[in-house]
């Protein structure tokens, strides 16, 4: 597919999502959606496994993964400003690489988030079950999904408001933790003085060597994805694409600093050897600081993070499905909007598949559900790879035909993007060669192959 100036103008003029969906999200909503997409249970709980496996050097793993995500968000910012009206990243991929890439990136992203919705529902159910042991976890999971599905069906504005407050609570919790932990680490509140020695006192900064640090990027990067949701939500905001484009990478950068800073303070506050995988390292650090009610507070914050991701997951699956239908890559009935200009059918379809994944977690946790989770492991990296290649093609064409559109530019073009591509390929190779992660890598090839075959069948039917 040749990307021409006319093709870009046609895409802008024919962008169906921004012309039909309700533009009720404000800038504060989109900002918090970007923040909420990054800060989830993966930080508050999932980071424990990475710390236990890598040691204090896990901060380098987070820095490496964060750099990849930040570069991808900068690419999306450049394209959002240069091609106003086409904020959704699957549409950028479609425009840069062709119909096949838009089809595959859209459906793979939809699948990824359907599985995430089920995972978050299970995590939330387990937390609530601790407080309501008389209610089965699966019942709680179904109830949580039903409530947040209703929020999404109510209106786009209701989704934005819920996500704004969910994300505000998460950001406030991290800021409070950073202040409290910093006081302890610097010796202001610690009885024995500064605790920075924990970074090297238990086997050194890299107790297991340098290789696990690189391998750790493959696991922590999945807790950092989600900021790209803002590019999808931007299509339902009256703000200019330039404003939203400039904001996206900036917000992602700030939150990545929160990630790296909070993890650094954890491994400096307490010995990394005391952190138990599966248990919140934030709670462990607060307990070591003798903060009363730390466990309960962290359970509440983790629940908020889970509900936030669940809320955003239901939103993004419906909008991606709506966009696919608008391009003829999904049943046309999904383009229909209700009287509140919400794609209710797309929301219900996404919820239905998420319910199916939730049922699989109950009926076949070790087989079907384990496969669904593993098969989503490397998908975001594959999607990021397509975004990077599409950005290079679009940037080259725009520089020749409409350079005035490049108000926001990818850093060090083309080397910044080439570096991101090399980093993503390296991470994928590390996944394939690491025994604990190879299952996820090869399982992820299954939905990729199925989606490619589905596209070939779709194109053949279209030709007929």
């Amino acid at each position: 597919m040749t990307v021409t100036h006319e093709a870009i103008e046609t895409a802008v003029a024919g962008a169906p999502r921004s012309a039909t969906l309700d533009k009720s999200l404000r800038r504060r909503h989109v900002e918090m959606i970007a923040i909420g997409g990054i800060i989830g249970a993966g930080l508050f709980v999932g980071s424990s496994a990475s710390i236990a496996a890598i040691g204090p050097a896990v901060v380098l793993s987070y820095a490496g993964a964060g750099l990849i995500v930040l570069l991808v968000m900068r690419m999306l910012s450049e394209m959002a400003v240069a091609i106003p009206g086409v904020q959704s990243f699957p549409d950028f991929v479609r425009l840069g690489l062709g119909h096949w890439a838009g089809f595959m990136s859209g459906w793979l992203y939809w699948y990824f988030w359907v599985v995430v919705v089920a995972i978050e529902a299970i995590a939330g159910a387990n937390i609530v079950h601790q407080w309501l042991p008389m209610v089965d976890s699966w019942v709680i999971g179904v109830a949580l999904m039903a409530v947040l599905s209703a929020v999404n069906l109510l209106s786009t504005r209701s989704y934005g408001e819920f996500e704004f407050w969910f994300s505000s609570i998460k950001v406030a919790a991290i800021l409070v933790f950073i202040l409290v932990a910093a006081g302890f680490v610097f010796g202001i509140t610690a009885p024995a003085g500064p605790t920075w020695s924990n970074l090297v006192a238990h086997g050194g900064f890299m107790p297991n060597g340098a290789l696990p640090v690189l391998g750790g990027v493959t696991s922590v990067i999945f807790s950092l994805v989600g900021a790209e949701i803002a590019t999808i939500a931007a299509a339902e905001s009256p703000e200019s694409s330039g404003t939203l484009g400039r904001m996206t990478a900036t917000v992602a950068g700030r939150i990545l600093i929160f990630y790296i800073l909070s993890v650094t303070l954890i491994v400096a506050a307490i010995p990394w050897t005391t952190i138990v995988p599966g248990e919140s390292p934030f709670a462990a650090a607060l307990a070591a600081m003798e903060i009363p009610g730390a466990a309960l507070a962290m359970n509440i914050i983790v629940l908020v993070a889970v509900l936030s991701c669940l809320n955003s997951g239901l939103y993004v699956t419906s909008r991606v499905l709506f966009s696919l239908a608008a391009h003829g890559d999904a049943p046309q009935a999904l383009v229909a909007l209700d009287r509140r200009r919400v794609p209710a059918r797309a929301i219900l379809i996404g919820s239905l598949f998420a319910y199916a994944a939730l049922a699989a977690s109950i009926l076949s946790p070790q087989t079907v559900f384990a496969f669904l989770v593993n098969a989503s492991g490397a998908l975001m990296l594959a999607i990021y790879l397509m975004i990077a290649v599409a950005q290079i093609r679009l940037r080259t064409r725009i520089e020749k035909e409409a350079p005035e559109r490049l108000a926001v530019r990818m850093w060090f073009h083309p080397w910044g993007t080439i570096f991101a591509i090399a980093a993503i390929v390296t991470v994928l190779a590390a996944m394939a060669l690491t025994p604990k992660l190879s299952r996820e890598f090869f399982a992820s090839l299954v939905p990729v192959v199925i989606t490619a075959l589905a596209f070939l069948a779709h194109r053949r039917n279209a030709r007929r």
Side-chain angles (χ1 to χ4, degrees):
M1 175 183 176
T2 301
V3 183
T4 64
H5 183 66
E6 291 75 15
I8 293 174
E9 294 295 342
T10 300
V12 173
R17 300 174 66 241
S18 58
T20 57
L21 291 171
D22 185 22
K23 288 181 173 290
S24 59
L25 295 179
R26 298 294 179 261
R27 176 171 177 167
R28 67 183 179 90
H29 295 133
V30 180
E31 285 182 344
M32 282 304 183
I33 288 169
I35 292 172
I38 295 178
I39 302 176
L43 170 63
F44 292 115
V45 179
S47 55
S48 60
S50 299
I51 295 172
I54 300 170
V58 71
V59 296
L60 300 180
S61 299
Y62 274 99
L67 179 60
I68 293 175
V69 173
L70 189 59
L71 290 174
V72 171
M73 293 309 300
R74 184 67 178 186
M75 297 175 207
L76 291 173
S77 296
E78 177 189 276
M79 292 186 286
V81 175
I83 313 174
V86 189
Q87 289 99 343
S88 174
F89 75 86
D91 290 340
F92 292 128
V93 174
R94 183 187 305 274
L95 189 57
L97 301 180
H99 186 189
W100 69 270
F103 182 99
M104 291 193 64
S105 63
W107 277 111
L108 290 176
Y109 192 64
W110 180 84
Y111 171 80
F112 174 85
W113 277 101
V114 164
V115 176
V116 168
V117 167
I119 293 172
E120 298 295 342
I122 294 167
N126 289 336
I127 294 173
V128 176
H129 182 67
Q130 297 176 22
W131 303 329
L132 301 174
M134 73 292 298
V135 183
D136 290 338
S137 293
W138 71 268
V139 175
I140 299 172
V142 169
L144 292 177
M145 286 184 55
V147 169
L148 292 177
S149 295
V151 168
N152 277 266
L153 288 168
L154 185 61
S155 70
T156 301
R157 185 64 176 266
S158 66
Y159 157 73
E161 285 296 333
F162 269 77
E163 195 56 33
F164 175 83
W165 291 109
F166 281 152
S167 297
S168 297
I169 292 171
K170 291 189 291 186
V171 170
I174 289 181
L175 290 176
V176 169
F177 175 83
I178 288 174
L179 291 175
V180 172
F184 187 84
V185 168
F186 281 100
I188 298 173
T189 59
T195 61
W196 289 107
S197 60
N198 282 320
L199 291 174
V200 295
H202 305 278
F205 184 66
M206 294 184 183
N208 298 317
L211 188 59
V213 177
L214 176 61
V217 175
T218 64
S219 57
V220 304
I221 195 170
F222 301 111
S223 65
L224 295 175
V225 302
E228 71 286 338
I229 296 175
T231 67
I232 295 174
E236 297 181 74
S237 171
E239 298 280 353
S240 69
S241 59
T243 300
L244 296 173
R246 293 182 183 91
M247 171 271 296
T248 301
T250 304
V251 170
R254 292 203 301 262
I255 300 308
L256 290 175
I257 292 173
F258 288 166
Y259 249 95
I260 296 170
L261 186 56
S262 59
V263 172
T264 300
L265 290 173
I266 288 172
V267 293
I270 59 176
W272 69 273
T273 52
T274 63
I275 294 176
V276 179
E279 298 182 7
S280 174
F282 287 79
L286 291 173
M289 299 174 206
E290 299 183 353
I291 304 297
L296 176 60
M298 284 311 305
N299 269 338
I300 294 173
I301 293 168
V302 172
L303 179 61
V304 170
V306 164
L307 294 178
S308 172
C309 288
L310 181 55
N311 191 39
S312 288
L314 290 168
Y315 170 82
V316 76
T317 54
S318 66
R319 271 34 176 205
V320 170
L321 198 56
F322 176 83
S323 179
L324 287 167
H327 286 286
D329 294 335
Q332 291 301 292
L334 299 178
V335 180
L337 303 176
D338 63 15
R339 60 184 177 83
R340 293 178 295 275
R341 298 173 69 184
V342 170
R345 295 176 183 176
I347 293 173
L348 293 173
I349 290 294
S351 299
L352 180 63
F353 277 84
Y355 280 120
L358 183 60
S361 72
I362 300 167
L363 301 176
S364 184
Q366 301 302 322
T367 305
V368 177
F369 188 68
F371 171 77
L372 292 177
V373 173
N374 289 334
S376 66
L379 292 187
M380 283 307 303
L381 286 174
I383 293 169
Y384 282 173
L385 191 60
M386 285 191 279
I387 291 172
V389 177
Q391 184 271 333
I392 286 183
R393 292 202 64 195
L394 286 172
R395 171 69 176 267
T396 302
R397 184 63 60 181
I398 294 171
E399 281 185 333
K400 291 180 180 179
E401 300 181 355
E404 68 279 2
R405 291 182 178 271
L406 295 171
V408 174
R409 296 171 180 261
M410 176 59 186
W411 300 305
F412 309 110
H413 178 78
W415 302 110
T417 304
I418 292 173
F419 171 80
I421 292 173
I424 292 171
V425 171
T426 301
V427 172
L428 288 172
M431 284 191 72
L433 298 175
T434 303
K436 292 183 179 180
L437 298 173
S438 61
R439 176 183 296 181
E440 291 186 11
F441 175 81
F442 291 107
S444 297
L445 295 179
V446 176
V448 172
V449 171
I450 291 174
T451 305
L453 294 175
F455 172 73
L456 293 176
H458 173 73
R459 185 174 62 177
R460 184 170 61 251
N461 291 334
R463 287 175 176 174
R464 288 178 179 174

